[in-house]
Amino acid sequence: MHHVAILGSTGSIGTQTLDVITHHPELYRVTALAAYHNDVLLEEQIQRFNPLIAVLVDDKAAARLKSRYRGTTRILAGEEGLLEAAALRETDTVLTAMVGAAGIKPTITAIEAGKNIALANKETLVAAGEIVTQLARKKGVQLLPVDSEHSALMQCLHGEDSKTVKRLLITASGGPFRGYTTEQLGTITVEQCLCHPNWSMGKKITVDSATLVNKGLEVIEAKWLFDIEYDNIDVVVHPQSIIHSMVEFVDGSTIAQLGKPDMRLPIQYALTYPQRITSPAPVMDWTRLISLEFMPPDKKTFRGLDLAYRVGRCGGTLPCVFNAANEIAVHAFLANQLPFLEITTIIEATIDQHQNVLKPSLPAIFAADSWAREYARELVARYERENT
């Protein structure tokens, strides 16, 4: 029996995780659920899975739920409640699916409490990769990736000697604007951006996929998960999203993990690793003619990918600043305050102004995150003033 806490239970990854659990009720016990403000959906999840505790980070949403809920689950609020859910004694695995840098503190809290981590919050490793991975080794807990690309890499590397690995090849669909010119991207709307051709995801990650910033975040995450240098991590555009990533070995052979684009498969693998069990995800029909295409990413048009490599190689607090500036810029784009192309402009301007701190402490990382958000907000406000 796996005792699982889900942080971010009302989001895309959280709801798909609960679907996986529903298909194997004999294997899973939900101990804690946490969300930001969706009290209606969280209440439905509480009624169905009866966790020991449930958390709403937003105090008003928590108050609404407390006023009407009459069951046995304890309802908690705020960051304090979130951290209690992360460290709950009865839990053995914490699935972290909070959006953005909000996942850092609860992930670290869970590791400190000796919980295995099913990691769906790549920003935690982007911002604090060295601290998190060192702490996980010290506590003897597993960091198991939920991202389809990193799950694929983990599966390809299973049982292999790390000395024989030549390259990690992270695949990218190319997003909805693959092949677009800079001029074409100048008129992109929010609605167009949210129409991903292959995956159903939350708004923030869908925008990140369109800018290729998401792929840059995945490159940084891969460096920390698999202890490999940036020169040995490449991105390959694969529009069909059938191959989820590949590993090339020194003898010239390449191992790939394939499957339909369905997040329930990597979610389940993270929860049951290293065992495999039947999954609700659909399977491929290999008797059909399937075309698999590959091409290099257009780094000149989609500049976010090279910016990620740049901050990753520099290290220190720069990856944290990259992530924070992106979160602010994406939020502004979704609010129609900023054009699509200005997202990477805001990121670059913010990292250019940052005084990098090498080997940062956790407080230094949080300080860099706070500074970057404030600076990026000023840039967004300046853009609005100059263009209205």
mmCIF file of all heavy atoms in Angstrom, residues 108 111-115 130-143:
data_model
loop_
_atom_site.group_PDB
_atom_site.id
_atom_site.type_symbol
_atom_site.label_atom_id
_atom_site.label_comp_id
_atom_site.label_asym_id
_atom_site.label_seq_id
_atom_site.Cartn_x
_atom_site.Cartn_y
_atom_site.Cartn_z
ATOM 1 N N ILE A 108 11.039 20.637 -0.013
ATOM 2 C CA ILE A 108 12.144 20.524 0.942
ATOM 3 C C ILE A 108 11.638 20.021 2.286
ATOM 4 O O ILE A 108 12.275 19.183 2.938
ATOM 5 C CB ILE A 108 12.866 21.881 1.073
ATOM 6 C CG1 ILE A 108 13.659 22.168 -0.212
ATOM 7 C CG2 ILE A 108 13.790 21.893 2.296
ATOM 8 C CD1 ILE A 108 14.338 23.513 -0.226
ATOM 9 N N ILE A 111 11.126 16.294 2.027
ATOM 10 C CA ILE A 111 12.411 15.574 2.039
ATOM 11 C C ILE A 111 12.977 15.532 3.450
ATOM 12 O O ILE A 111 13.455 14.492 3.916
ATOM 13 C CB ILE A 111 13.409 16.233 1.068
ATOM 14 C CG1 ILE A 111 12.912 16.100 -0.380
ATOM 15 C CG2 ILE A 111 14.791 15.595 1.203
ATOM 16 C CD1 ILE A 111 13.738 16.892 -1.384
ATOM 17 N N GLU A 112 12.922 16.669 4.151
ATOM 18 C CA GLU A 112 13.404 16.719 5.540
ATOM 19 C C GLU A 112 12.665 15.708 6.403
ATOM 20 O O GLU A 112 13.238 15.136 7.342
ATOM 21 C CB GLU A 112 13.205 18.129 6.114
ATOM 22 C CG GLU A 112 14.156 19.176 5.559
ATOM 23 C CD GLU A 112 15.506 19.167 6.267
ATOM 24 O OE1 GLU A 112 15.795 18.190 6.985
ATOM 25 O OE2 GLU A 112 16.265 20.135 6.095
ATOM 26 N N ALA A 113 11.402 15.443 6.083
ATOM 27 C CA ALA A 113 10.601 14.486 6.856
ATOM 28 C C ALA A 113 10.787 13.051 6.372
ATOM 29 O O ALA A 113 10.116 12.146 6.874
ATOM 30 C CB ALA A 113 9.122 14.873 6.768
ATOM 31 N N GLY A 114 11.679 12.851 5.400
ATOM 32 C CA GLY A 114 11.996 11.498 4.947
ATOM 33 C C GLY A 114 11.026 10.918 3.935
ATOM 34 O O GLY A 114 10.967 9.697 3.761
ATOM 35 N N LYS A 115 10.291 11.782 3.232
ATOM 36 C CA LYS A 115 9.322 11.298 2.248
ATOM 37 C C LYS A 115 9.972 11.160 0.873
ATOM 38 O O LYS A 115 10.777 12.006 0.474
ATOM 39 C CB LYS A 115 8.130 12.262 2.120
ATOM 40 C CG LYS A 115 7.544 12.727 3.441
ATOM 41 C CD LYS A 115 7.068 11.577 4.316
ATOM 42 C CE LYS A 115 6.473 12.093 5.616
ATOM 43 N NZ LYS A 115 6.096 10.991 6.540
ATOM 44 N N GLU A 130 20.850 22.096 -6.508
ATOM 45 C CA GLU A 130 21.962 21.551 -5.722
ATOM 46 C C GLU A 130 21.534 21.286 -4.285
ATOM 47 O O GLU A 130 21.840 20.229 -3.714
ATOM 48 C CB GLU A 130 23.153 22.508 -5.755
ATOM 49 C CG GLU A 130 24.399 21.938 -5.113
ATOM 50 C CD GLU A 130 25.636 22.766 -5.375
ATOM 51 O OE1 GLU A 130 25.514 23.878 -5.921
ATOM 52 O OE2 GLU A 130 26.746 22.293 -5.025
ATOM 53 N N ILE A 131 20.810 22.219 -3.699
ATOM 54 C CA ILE A 131 20.353 22.058 -2.320
ATOM 55 C C ILE A 131 19.400 20.869 -2.198
ATOM 56 O O ILE A 131 19.534 20.031 -1.299
ATOM 57 C CB ILE A 131 19.677 23.349 -1.827
ATOM 58 C CG1 ILE A 131 20.709 24.467 -1.667
ATOM 59 C CG2 ILE A 131 18.927 23.115 -0.514
ATOM 60 C CD1 ILE A 131 20.116 25.827 -1.358
ATOM 61 N N VAL A 132 18.451 20.767 -3.112
ATOM 62 C CA VAL A 132 17.434 19.713 -3.038
ATOM 63 C C VAL A 132 18.042 18.336 -3.255
ATOM 64 O O VAL A 132 17.750 17.387 -2.514
ATOM 65 C CB VAL A 132 16.307 19.981 -4.054
ATOM 66 C CG1 VAL A 132 15.361 18.796 -4.146
ATOM 67 C CG2 VAL A 132 15.531 21.241 -3.665
ATOM 68 N N THR A 133 18.899 18.195 -4.247
ATOM 69 C CA THR A 133 19.485 16.880 -4.524
ATOM 70 C C THR A 133 20.446 16.441 -3.419
ATOM 71 O O THR A 133 20.473 15.260 -3.054
ATOM 72 C CB THR A 133 20.208 16.867 -5.882
ATOM 73 O OG1 THR A 133 21.141 17.959 -5.955
ATOM 74 C CG2 THR A 133 19.210 16.999 -7.031
ATOM 75 N N GLN A 134 21.191 17.377 -2.861
ATOM 76 C CA GLN A 134 22.077 17.028 -1.740
ATOM 77 C C GLN A 134 21.266 16.601 -0.530
ATOM 78 O O GLN A 134 21.614 15.635 0.161
ATOM 79 C CB GLN A 134 22.977 18.215 -1.390
ATOM 80 C CG GLN A 134 24.108 18.451 -2.383
ATOM 81 C CD GLN A 134 25.000 19.615 -1.984
ATOM 82 O OE1 GLN A 134 24.723 20.325 -1.009
ATOM 83 N NE2 GLN A 134 26.062 19.835 -2.733
ATOM 84 N N LEU A 135 20.178 17.298 -0.258
ATOM 85 C CA LEU A 135 19.333 16.959 0.879
ATOM 86 C C LEU A 135 18.683 15.591 0.685
ATOM 87 O O LEU A 135 18.600 14.803 1.642
ATOM 88 C CB LEU A 135 18.252 18.032 1.069
ATOM 89 C CG LEU A 135 17.297 17.833 2.247
ATOM 90 C CD1 LEU A 135 18.052 17.832 3.568
ATOM 91 C CD2 LEU A 135 16.220 18.931 2.238
ATOM 92 N N ALA A 136 18.241 15.310 -0.534
ATOM 93 C CA ALA A 136 17.631 14.002 -0.809
ATOM 94 C C ALA A 136 18.629 12.877 -0.576
ATOM 95 O O ALA A 136 18.282 11.831 -0.007
ATOM 96 C CB ALA A 136 17.104 13.966 -2.234
ATOM 97 N N ARG A 137 19.876 13.079 -1.001
ATOM 98 C CA ARG A 137 20.909 12.054 -0.759
ATOM 99 C C ARG A 137 21.166 11.889 0.736
ATOM 100 O O ARG A 137 21.300 10.766 1.241
ATOM 101 C CB ARG A 137 22.200 12.424 -1.483
ATOM 102 C CG ARG A 137 22.151 12.205 -2.987
ATOM 103 C CD ARG A 137 23.529 12.283 -3.613
ATOM 104 N NE ARG A 137 24.076 13.623 -3.549
ATOM 105 C CZ ARG A 137 23.911 14.544 -4.491
ATOM 106 N NH1 ARG A 137 23.178 14.266 -5.562
ATOM 107 N NH2 ARG A 137 24.455 15.754 -4.376
ATOM 108 N N LYS A 138 21.220 12.994 1.448
ATOM 109 C CA LYS A 138 21.470 12.952 2.894
ATOM 110 C C LYS A 138 20.358 12.210 3.621
ATOM 111 O O LYS A 138 20.618 11.415 4.545
ATOM 112 C CB LYS A 138 21.591 14.383 3.428
ATOM 113 C CG LYS A 138 21.780 14.471 4.937
ATOM 114 C CD LYS A 138 21.818 15.927 5.391
ATOM 115 C CE LYS A 138 21.895 16.046 6.901
ATOM 116 N NZ LYS A 138 21.862 17.465 7.351
ATOM 117 N N LYS A 139 19.117 12.428 3.213
ATOM 118 C CA LYS A 139 17.962 11.816 3.873
ATOM 119 C C LYS A 139 17.650 10.425 3.336
ATOM 120 O O LYS A 139 16.786 9.729 3.883
ATOM 121 C CB LYS A 139 16.735 12.717 3.718
ATOM 122 C CG LYS A 139 16.841 14.037 4.470
ATOM 123 C CD LYS A 139 16.838 13.816 5.972
ATOM 124 C CE LYS A 139 16.878 15.115 6.749
ATOM 125 N NZ LYS A 139 16.809 14.896 8.210
ATOM 126 N N GLY A 140 18.311 10.035 2.254
ATOM 127 C CA GLY A 140 18.082 8.712 1.688
ATOM 128 C C GLY A 140 16.720 8.549 1.047
ATOM 129 O O GLY A 140 16.147 7.454 1.070
ATOM 130 N N VAL A 141 16.182 9.643 0.465
ATOM 131 C CA VAL A 141 14.882 9.560 -0.185
ATOM 132 C C VAL A 141 15.053 9.635 -1.699
ATOM 133 O O VAL A 141 16.070 10.116 -2.208
ATOM 134 C CB VAL A 141 13.939 10.685 0.292
ATOM 135 C CG1 VAL A 141 13.791 10.640 1.798
ATOM 136 C CG2 VAL A 141 14.438 12.058 -0.151
ATOM 137 N N GLN A 142 14.039 9.171 -2.418
ATOM 138 C CA GLN A 142 14.081 9.158 -3.868
ATOM 139 C C GLN A 142 13.423 10.411 -4.445
ATOM 140 O O GLN A 142 12.389 10.852 -3.965
ATOM 141 C CB GLN A 142 13.369 7.921 -4.415
ATOM 142 C CG GLN A 142 14.060 6.614 -4.084
ATOM 143 C CD GLN A 142 13.289 5.420 -4.622
ATOM 144 O OE1 GLN A 142 12.071 5.324 -4.445
ATOM 145 N NE2 GLN A 142 13.994 4.517 -5.290
ATOM 146 N N LEU A 143 14.061 10.966 -5.487
ATOM 147 C CA LEU A 143 13.459 12.012 -6.293
ATOM 148 C C LEU A 143 13.041 11.365 -7.607
ATOM 149 O O LEU A 143 13.882 11.059 -8.458
ATOM 150 C CB LEU A 143 14.460 13.143 -6.567
ATOM 151 C CG LEU A 143 14.800 14.094 -5.433
ATOM 152 C CD1 LEU A 143 15.874 15.073 -5.869
ATOM 153 C CD2 LEU A 143 13.560 14.852 -4.963
#
